[in-house]
């Protein structure tokens, strides 16, 4: 199996992971915090996401051809480096069951209300396990290269089809009712979802042209942020801020407002397709990362063998949350935003960059002195 991906595939993979999940899961927290200024929160979130992209791509340039599992012990030392790897593995292991449960709950509500959630979960687990086992990161990247444009086209369709429903008065007043504190508070949830470029710490070693990785990563983050920004503005302009902060999925509600030529309605399936496509790419990527990363961490020769052990574990953990509040709100507010965002996405990449440069610099100086 050739575990190599192109820059274009990297672009669509990061864009697909960022776009659908951010649209569905983070608009409500932003609207609740910043109200009609939630679009400013999305701009702030995009700036944070670009900082994350800069940090992780800079780290990857220091250690070409290597991934986080390789260079974390070199930068931090043997045992602290292993602790850092475990912190990232915890992030990847915990996000899969949560996204799985979010997926099954939404499918039950929107499409299959009579279908047991266990059956929906099992189908998705088998699908991502198959994609990871047979295709690896290359197969997943090819899927995202196909699904990514579909996701973008459907998001743009929802936006353009709602132009007639826009009421710009809903966006006003500007800044007065929120202030910078609420705007920054509203940026944290979308920033944590737009920050999935942190997985570049693992992706970089699979790139066929590593030097182009930074450009494609930045483009993916910018494109996802722009589309989330436009979606947020339209959600506010179409639904207002009296109702939308109390909705679980305001982007879905906006899609239900579409009416073309006065008689073509019922476009509810479009955001569902966006959601399912994005969820599949995200889950498949994470499943591969935990399989490959765990095998490398434990020095197991065949990473594909890990899929047989990991699949039943994540299926079991996906059954633990009792409802959508536990699976979404609690995880987002208690772990993803207060821990994963500042530590995994910002703090540790910053330390990897600073210490990595110092290590490389001291190593180069020592070699030069030795040669002298």
């Amino acid at each position: 199996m050739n575990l190599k991906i192109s820059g274009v595939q990297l672009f669509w993979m990061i864009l697909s992971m960022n776009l659908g999940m951010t649209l569905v899961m983070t608009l409500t927290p932003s609207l609740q915090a910043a109200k009609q200024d939630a679009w400013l929160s999305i701009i702030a979130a995009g700036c944070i996401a670009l900082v994350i992209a800069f940090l992780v791509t800079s780290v990857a340039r220091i250690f070409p051809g290597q991934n986080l599992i390789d260079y974390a012990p070199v930068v931090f030392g043997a045992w602290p480096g292993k602790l850092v790897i475990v912190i990232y593995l915890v992030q990847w292991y915990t996000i899969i069951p949560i996204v799985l449960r979010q997926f099954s709950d939404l499918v039950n509500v929107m499409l299959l209300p009579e279908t047991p959630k266990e059956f929906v979960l099992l189908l998705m687990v088998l699908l991502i396990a198959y994609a990871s086992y047979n295709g690896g990161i290359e197969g997943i990247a090819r899927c995202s290269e196909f699904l990514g444009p579909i996701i973008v086209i459907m998001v743009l369709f929802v936006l353009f089809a709602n132009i007639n429903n826009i009421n710009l008065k809903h966006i006003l007043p500007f800044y007065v009712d929120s202030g910078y504190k609420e705007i920054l508070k509203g940026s944290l949830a979308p920033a944590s979802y737009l920050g999935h470029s942190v997985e570049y710490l693992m992706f970089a070693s699979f790139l066929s042209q590593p030097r182009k990785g930074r450009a494609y990563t930045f483009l993916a983050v910018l494109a996802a942020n722009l589309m989330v920004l436009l979606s947020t503005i339209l959600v506010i302009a179409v639904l207002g801020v009296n109702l939308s902060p109390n909705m679980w999925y305001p982007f879905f509600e906006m899609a239900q407002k579409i009416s073309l030529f006065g008689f073509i309605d019922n476009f509810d399936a479009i955001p569902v397709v966006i959601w399912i496509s994005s969820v599949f790419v995200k889950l498949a990527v994470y499943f591969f990362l935990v399989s490959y990363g765990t095998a490398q961490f434990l020095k197991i020769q065949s990473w594909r063998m890990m899929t047989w052990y990991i699949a039943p574990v994540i299926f079991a953990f996906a059954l633990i949350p009792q409802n959508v509040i536990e699976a979404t709100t609690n995880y987002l507010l208690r772990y993803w935003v207060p821990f994963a965002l500042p530590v995994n996405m910002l703090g540790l990449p910053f330390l990897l960059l600073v210490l990595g440069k110092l290590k490389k610099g001291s190593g180069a100086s020592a070699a030069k002195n030795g040669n002298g």
Side-chain angles (χ1 to χ4, degrees):
M1 184 185 299
N2 182 23
L3 295 177
K4 288 295 180 182
I5 59 175
S6 68
V8 174
Q9 290 171 337
L10 173 71
F11 169 83
W12 286 114
M13 197 157 53
I14 294 176
L15 177 63
S16 300
M17 290 176 66
N18 285 358
L19 184 55
M21 292 291 296
T22 308
L23 281 178
V24 176
M25 304 311 305
T26 67
L27 292 192
T28 296
S30 295
L31 289 164
Q32 289 173 342
K35 298 182 173 59
Q36 69 268 18
D37 291 323
W39 62 277
L40 292 173
S41 296
I42 301 302
I43 293 176
C47 294
I48 297 172
L50 286 173
V51 171
I52 295 170
F54 172 79
L55 291 174
V56 297
T57 53
S58 297
V59 172
R61 286 187 171 188
I62 300 174
F63 303 97
Q66 297 179 287
N67 61 41
L68 175 71
I69 314 296
D70 296 317
Y71 54 70
V74 175
V75 174
F76 293 105
W79 287 105
K82 289 180 179 179
L83 177 61
V84 168
I85 294 170
V86 169
I87 290 173
Y88 279 100
L89 287 175
V90 168
Q91 172 188 321
W92 299 332
Y93 270 103
T94 57
I95 192 64
I96 297 176
I98 293 298
V99 175
L100 275 171
R101 187 54 186 271
Q102 292 168 346
F103 163 77
S104 68
D105 286 338
L106 192 142
V107 168
N108 283 141
V109 171
M110 301 292 292
L111 297 176
L112 305 169
E114 302 299 325
T115 305
K117 66 177 182 295
E118 292 82 3
F119 184 72
V120 177
L121 288 170
L122 182 61
L123 281 178
M124 181 55 84
V125 170
L126 291 175
L127 183 61
I128 61 174
Y130 175 81
S132 179
Y133 185 87
N134 282 326
I137 192 66
E138 183 183 14
I140 297 166
R142 288 180 178 179
C143 285
S144 64
E145 197 174 13
F146 172 76
L147 294 173
I150 296 175
I151 294 172
V152 170
I153 290 169
M154 289 190 168
V155 171
L156 291 176
F157 172 79
V158 172
L159 298 182
F160 282 112
N162 268 289
I163 288 177
N164 293 332
N165 299 323
I166 290 176
N167 183 352
L168 293 178
K169 291 182 180 179
H170 290 158
I171 302 179
L172 302 174
F174 171 75
Y175 191 76
V176 176
D177 292 342
S178 51
Y180 75 93
K181 289 184 179 180
E182 294 303 316
I183 290 171
L184 290 177
K185 180 181 178 182
S187 72
L188 297 179
S192 67
Y193 275 72
L194 289 169
H196 281 301
S197 57
V198 70
E199 275 71 52
Y200 188 83
L201 294 172
M202 294 293 291
F203 293 155
S205 63
F206 302 118
L207 280 173
S208 56
Q209 295 178 305
R211 291 185 178 181
K212 296 183 179 180
R214 167 172 284 181
Y216 284 109
T217 302
F218 270 68
L219 284 173
V221 173
L222 283 170
N225 183 244
L226 177 60
M227 299 192 74
V228 173
L229 174 62
L230 293 174
S231 301
T232 305
I233 292 173
L234 259 75
V235 164
I236 297 169
V238 172
L239 302 176
V241 292
N242 292 325
L243 294 176
S244 55
N246 299 316
M247 297 174 176
W248 275 107
Y249 310 113
F251 186 79
F252 283 17
E253 300 291 340
M254 185 173 67
Q256 294 176 349
K257 297 285 185 180
I258 299 174
S259 180
L260 300 180
F261 312 112
F263 63 92
I264 304 178
D265 304 309
N266 299 322
F267 290 93
D268 305 22
I270 290 179
V272 175
V273 173
I274 295 170
W275 164 252
I276 292 176
S277 301
S278 181
V279 163
F280 166 73
V281 173
K282 183 169 185 170
L283 286 174
V285 167
Y286 275 124
F287 193 89
F288 170 79
L289 289 181
V290 296
S291 301
Y292 188 89
T294 303
Q296 190 178 359
F297 181 62
L298 299 178
K299 302 189 184 306
I300 296 172
Q301 187 172 4
S302 174
W303 66 266
R304 299 204 306 184
M305 185 180 70
M306 295 301 302
T307 60
W308 300 109
Y309 300 99
I310 294 172
V313 171
I314 63 172
F315 174 76
F317 275 98
L319 297 174
I320 293 177
Q322 297 300 308
N323 50 53
V324 69
I325 295 176
E326 286 188 16
T328 303
T329 307
N330 290 348
Y331 183 81
L332 183 69
L333 297 180
R334 294 181 182 178
Y335 170 72
W336 198 251
V337 170
F339 188 86
L341 176 61
V343 176
N344 295 36
M345 299 181 187
L346 289 167
L348 289 176
F350 177 75
L351 287 177
L352 282 167
L353 177 59
V354 173
L355 296 179
K357 282 191 172 183
L358 291 175
K359 290 274 185 179
K360 284 287 183 177
S362 62
S365 298
K368 185 176 179 180
N369 294 331
N371 292 331

